[in-house]
Amino acid sequence: MHTTSTPLPGIGTLHVLAARDGHRVGVVRHADDRRELVVYDPADPDTRLTGVLLTAAEAGVLADLVGAAGPVTHCARLDRHAGGVSVLQVLIGTDSPRVGRPLAGTGVDGAAIVAVVRGEHVIPAPGPGLRCRAGDVVVVIGRPDAAFEVIDAVT
């Protein structure tokens, strides 16, 4: 099993699962909270056979049906600005290996964690001793490639 996530500027994010039997299934998480389930042709993994557009509620029901506990992380928002600057907001899920661990060592050249949103509180410029909690939203700003590296380090 292999999964990939690909940002789709102006649309959302494509998450693809390559199953052991060679089939590929994807979910497009649209910026407006819709989900699109996509099934690819096993003979040509880049050819889409069909897609089903789901509301967030329908996606939740489908996740329950397949026994999903929910994602470890969830890109809550991705904004791209002029000059190549991106702002990512990533929700830390309950199963994230980062839960209980400090944010120290997650920065890279070209991007940084600028805030953590915890419930109703915003923690600006969190120090290296701050430990992640499930439900935290980590806010990263920087070059797109570097911002995604920070998110990889956080999750």
Side-chain angles (χ1 to χ4, degrees), residues 6-111:
T6 306
L8 304 173
I11 297 170
T13 305
L14 170 63
H15 304 276
V16 176
L17 167 77
R20 188 175 3 160
D21 70 358
H23 287 86
R24 290 183 43 192
V25 178
V27 175
V28 178
R29 297 180 64 99
H30 290 263
D32 64 2
D33 215 27
R34 293 175 300 141
R35 310 293 191 278
E36 186 174 2
L37 181 62
V38 181
V39 178
Y40 294 93
D41 183 348
D44 181 2
D46 293 328
T47 299
R48 174 183 154 151
L49 290 177
T50 190
V52 179
L53 194 57
L54 304 168
T55 65
E58 292 165 338
V61 169
L62 182 60
D64 286 343
L65 289 173
V66 297
V72 172
T73 61
H74 164 67
C75 185
R77 184 168 181 150
L78 167 62
D79 295 312
R80 293 179 186 256
H81 302 282
V85 174
S86 289
V87 179
L88 283 91
Q89 297 179 34
V90 177
L91 173 66
I92 303 298
T94 56
D95 294 336
S96 172
R98 181 53 71 175
V99 171
R101 296 178 53 203
L103 290 173
T106 56
V108 299
D109 187 35

